[in-house]
Amino acid sequence: MKTFYTTLALLLVTTCTLFSQTAYVRGITFDEFNNVIPGVNITYGTSGTQSNLDGYYSLEIPANEPITITYSYLGLENVVLNITLAPNEDYKLNPVLKTDIEQFETVVLNIKERKRVVGITTISAEAVKNIPGANAGVETLLKSLPGINGNNELSTQYAVRGGNYDENLVYVNEIEVYRPFLIRSGQQEGLSFVNSDLTRSVDFSAGGFQAKYGDKLSSVLDIEYRNPSSFGATVDASLLGASVSAEGISKDEKFRGIVGLRYRDNSLFVNAKETETNFKPTFADAQTYLSYKFSNKFELGFLGNIAINKYSYEPLSRQTNFGTLTDPIALLVFYEGQEEDKYNTYFGALKGTYVVNENFTTKFITSIYQTQEQEYFDILAQYRLGQPNTNIGDENLGEVEFSEGVGSQLTHARNDLDALIINLENKGTITVGENTLEYGIKYTHEDIRDRVEEYEIIDSAGFSIRPPIADFANDQPYTPYTSAIEPYTEIRAQNNVQIDRFSGYAQWSRRAELGDNDIWLNAGVRAHNWTVSGDGIESVTQTTFSPRGQITLKPNWDMDMLFRLSGGLYHQPPFYRELRDQTGTVIPDVKAQQSAHIVFGNDYSFDLWGRAFTLNSEIYYKGLTDVNPYTLENVRIRYSATNNAEAYAYGLDVRMAGEFVAGTESWVSFGYLKTEENIDDRGYIFRPTDQRLKFAVLVQDYVKVIPNLKGYLNLTYNTGLPGGSPSYADPYDYQERLPDYKRADLGVSYVIIDSNNLKDEGILRHFKELTIGAEIFNIFDVQNSITNTFVRDVYTKTQYSIPNYLTPRVFNIRTTMKF
C-alpha cells in the first residue's frame, strides 16, 4: 500500500511538472527604418507583455502546444507568429513592424510623429557617419540646420539662435555630459564627446523645449546610444585618424555592451594653413555603454568615457598677404617658443531604470565628471609689415622687399584647471489615462580649482607699448616717464570655488481632441537653487523658477500639417566660467540670465515626385534680461561677470527635407537672425553671435547606373559675425563684421560589400559592409577667417587688422568596415 501511494505521488509531481513547463520568446521590436519601438503589445490568448523603452521584450509561453503570438502597435501592421516550443526552449525573434497604410491615412502618430509634435528635429544616425566635414560627426550635421551658427570647421561647438556655446544642453542616454573649459581655438579641440559609431538616434530642439530638459537658454541635443541585439564591429580609418567599435549581447540577453575607441590627428588641416609649424597633436578617447537587465522590471546601465587630448604646437613662420591690388601689404612673422596643452577628462555614470508597473517608470542617475586641463605657452612673434613683390614672372614674386614697420609680441600663459562635477538624480513618468506626468529632482556639486596666469607684451620699433590708460599724457623728453614697464595685457588669479545646486521639474502632457482636430498640451515648471562659495569668496544663494508650455494643433485637413506654439521663461544659472570676470576674479552674486522665449512653428508633410517631404518653419523671439556680456575670440568666451545688459533675438528658420534623390534623405535650410544687446544703457549693438543670414544644403546622392557609387555634399553660407576686435577692446568701438563664411565639403564613396552583396568565400566573407572613398574639404579653397591679428606701423601710427585664416582645401581618403 505504501508503494502505491509513493508511486501515485511521483506520478502527480511529474504530471504537474510537465504541465507547468514553459518556454520563452525574446527579442527587440523594430520598425521598417530599423528604429526600435517601445510599447509594442505582444499577446497570446489573454496573456501578454509590452516591449520596454529599448524595444526589448521577453514573453513566457506554455511549452509543447501551438501558440499564436501577435505583435501590435498603433499605426503599424500586426506581425503574427505561430509557434510550438519545447520545454525551457529560448526562441529569439526581432520582428519588424511596417507602416499600416490604411491606419496611417487616418493620421495615427508613429514615433517620429510624436517627436514632431513637441518640436524635435530627428537626424539619421547613418547620415551622421556619412556626411563629410573637417570634424565629422553630429555637430557637423547640426550646423547644416537653420538657426545654428558654426563658423569654425575644426570646432564642434555651435551657437543657436543668437546664444553662445555655453547655452546648449547635451544628453547621452538621458545623462548630461560636459566639455573642457580652457579651449581657445578649434584646432585644440580634438574629439567631440558624442561617438557617432555608437549612436542610434539624434534629436535636437533649437528652443521652446519642455521643462524636463535642463537650465540652459538655447538648445537641447539628445543622443541615444545603441542597445545591441547581436555581435557587431566597425572600423573607420582615414588620414585624419581612426575609430573602432564593437558591440555584443550575452546568451541570456541580459547583458549588452557597446564600446568605441577613437584617435584623431588634425595635422592634415593645421599643416595646410599659412603658419608653418611643428604640430604634434594626440586626441584619443575610449567610450562605452553597458547595460544589465536584472529582471523585466529593473535594468542598470553604465556610461563611461576617458579622453586624452595633448596639443603640442611650435609655430615657425607665417606670411599673410592682404590689402588691395593697388596697395598690397604683407605680414611676415617669425616665431620662437611653443605651446603645450593637455585636456584630460574622465566621466562615469550609472543609470537605473525601474518599471514599477505599466503606468509608472522611475529612473536613478548618478554621474561623476573630472577634467584636468593645462594651457602652457611662451611664444615670441617677431613681425614686419611690408610690400610684397607683385611683378608676375619675377623669381621673387610674393617676397616682402620693403618693410614699413617692425615689432614683436610675446605671449605667455601658465593656466591650470581641475574641475570635479558630481550629479545625483531621480526622475519618473506616470501615466494616468490620457495624461502623462513627469517629474525630476537633481543635486549637483561642482568643485573647481583654477589658476590663471597669462600676459602679452608688445614691442614696436624697440618701444614697449603700454596698456590703454584713460587720460594718459606723454610729455617726454621734457618730463621723464618713470613708471615701470607693464605688459600690454595681464591676468593673474587663483580660485577655489564650490557650487552646490538643487534643481527639479514637474510637467504634464495630454493628447485630446478639439472638435475634429487633434491637440497636444504640455505645461511644466523648473526650479533651480544654487550656492556659490569658496576660498575668500562670500557665500551667495539664489533661486529661479522657469514655467514653460507647449500646445500643438493638428487640423482635420486633407493635408498633413501641424501648428505648434511653445515658450516660457528660461533661466541659465551661472556656471564657473560665467562667474569669472576678465581679470580672473570670481563674482559670486552673478545672477541667472533670463530669456522670455516664444516660438511659433508649422510642420507640413507632403508628397513631391512621388516621394515624402517635410517643410518645417519656425519664427521665434527672445527677450533677455540680466544678460552677462562676453567677448568671443575664436571659440574662447570671456564674460564680464556682470548682469549689466539686456538683449533680444528674433528670426525665422525654414528647412525642407526629403528624398530629393530617391532612397536618400537631403535637406535645404535657410535662417534669418537678428540679435542685439544694450550694455549699461549705452544703446543697442550687435551681439557676438549676430549671424544675420544662413543658407545650407546637404545632399546625399548615388549614380543610377552604379548605385554603389555614392556622393555626399555639405554646402554652407553664413554672413559674417561681428568680431575680429581685440579682446580688451570696447565693443562699442568695434562694430565691424568678419567676412562671410563660405564652405563646401564633398565626399565620394564606393560600396564594395553591403547587406545586398555579401560574399560567401574568400577574405571578403568576413565583412558585412566595406566602403572606400575620398573627401575634399573646402572644395573651392575659400579663405575664411575667424579672428584678426592686430599689428602697428610705428611710422604711420596705423594699426592693421590681419585676418587669421581657417583651413584651405584639403584631400582625405577614408575606408569603413563592418563585421
Side-chain angles (χ1 to χ4, degrees), residues 184-185 187-188 275-279 311-318 333-341 375-383 407-414 453-459 789:
R184 68 171 63 205
S185 69
Q187 65 190 37
Q188 295 174 318
T275 303
E276 294 184 19
T277 67
N278 289 325
F279 183 56
Y311 177 85
S312 179
Y313 181 72
E314 183 182 358
L316 301 175
S317 64
R318 162 188 174 180
V333 187
F334 296 94
Y335 297 95
E336 294 179 26
Q338 64 180 359
E339 180 173 356
E340 293 285 347
D341 299 336
E375 187 181 48
Y376 291 179
F377 57 80
D378 287 284
I379 297 177
L380 173 64
Q382 296 175 313
Y383 66 87
S408 61
Q409 176 190 46
L410 173 65
T411 54
H412 164 93
R414 293 294 184 272
E453 182 182 302
E454 57 183 67
Y455 60 77
E456 176 186 17
I457 297 174
I458 298 177
D459 177 275
T789 295

Side-chain angles (χ1 to χ4, degrees), residues 171-178 212 224 289 298-303 347-354 362-368 422-428 439-444 505:
Y171 294 95
V172 174
N173 287 22
E174 300 182 278
I175 301 164
E176 186 175 359
V177 298
Y178 304 88
K212 66 180 180 180
E224 283 289 334
Y289 186 74
F298 182 69
E299 181 176 304
L300 184 65
F302 169 76
L303 175 65
F347 181 82
L350 288 172
K351 173 187 170 185
T353 302
Y354 181 62
T362 186
K363 300 176 183 179
F364 299 89
I365 299 173
T366 179
S367 68
I368 299 177
I422 301 173
N423 291 292
L424 298 171
E425 182 180 9
N426 171 241
K427 59 183 179 180
Y439 72 88
I441 186 169
K442 182 178 182 180
Y443 167 72
T444 302
Y505 68 88

Side-chain angles (χ1 to χ4, degrees), residues 153-165:
E153 61 270 8
L154 291 179
S155 173
T156 61
Q157 302 185 50
Y158 53 91
V160 179
R161 292 179 176 174
N164 68 33
Y165 306 140

Side-chain angles (χ1 to χ4, degrees), residues 128-276:
V128 169
K129 290 183 284 186
N130 290 334
I131 299 303
N135 205 338
V138 172
E139 294 83 1
T140 293
L141 255 68
L142 289 183
K143 294 174 185 179
S144 70
L145 299 178
I148 301 180
N149 161 33
N151 281 19
N152 189 336
E153 61 270 8
L154 291 179
S155 173
T156 61
Q157 302 185 50
Y158 53 91
V160 179
R161 292 179 176 174
N164 68 33
Y165 306 140
D166 293 335
E167 297 179 9
N168 306 307
L169 288 160
V170 180
Y171 294 95
V172 174
N173 287 22
E174 300 182 278
I175 301 164
E176 186 175 359
V177 298
Y178 304 88
R179 61 183 178 85
F181 291 70
L182 296 182
I183 298 293
R184 68 171 63 205
S185 69
Q187 65 190 37
Q188 295 174 318
E189 279 193 36
L191 297 161
S192 160
F193 184 96
V194 180
N195 188 329
S196 302
D197 292 337
L198 314 185
T199 300
R200 183 184 76 190
S201 65
V202 180
D203 295 333
F204 182 77
S205 173
F209 42 86
Q210 297 178 355
K212 66 180 180 180
Y213 296 112
D215 295 288
K216 297 285 187 180
L217 294 180
S218 292
S219 74
V220 174
L221 176 61
D222 193 1
I223 304 291
E224 283 289 334
Y225 281 172
R226 289 195 305 278
N227 205 4
S229 58
S230 61
F231 172 79
T234 64
V235 176
D236 192 309
S238 76
L239 298 178
L240 293 171
S243 65
V244 179
S245 68
E247 58 188 85
I249 182 172
S250 63
K251 281 189 175 181
D252 61 4
E253 298 188 352
K254 289 187 175 182
F255 177 77
R256 301 167 191 266
I258 186 168
V259 62
L261 304 174
R262 294 182 294 173
Y263 171 79
R264 180 175 173 83
D265 184 343
N266 277 343
S267 298
L268 191 66
F269 289 108
V270 176
N271 291 336
K273 297 170 76 172
E274 287 181 332
T275 303
E276 294 184 19

Side-chain angles (χ1 to χ4, degrees), residues 708 751-770 818-819:
N708 283 352
V751 180
I752 300 173
I753 295 176
D754 61 10
S755 58
N756 299 319
N757 182 30
L758 297 175
K759 305 297 182 182
D760 297 326
E761 57 184 24
I763 192 172
L764 295 181
R765 74 182 187 277
H766 301 291
F767 293 92
K768 292 181 181 178
E769 182 180 313
L770 176 60
K818 288 186 180 180
F819 304 92

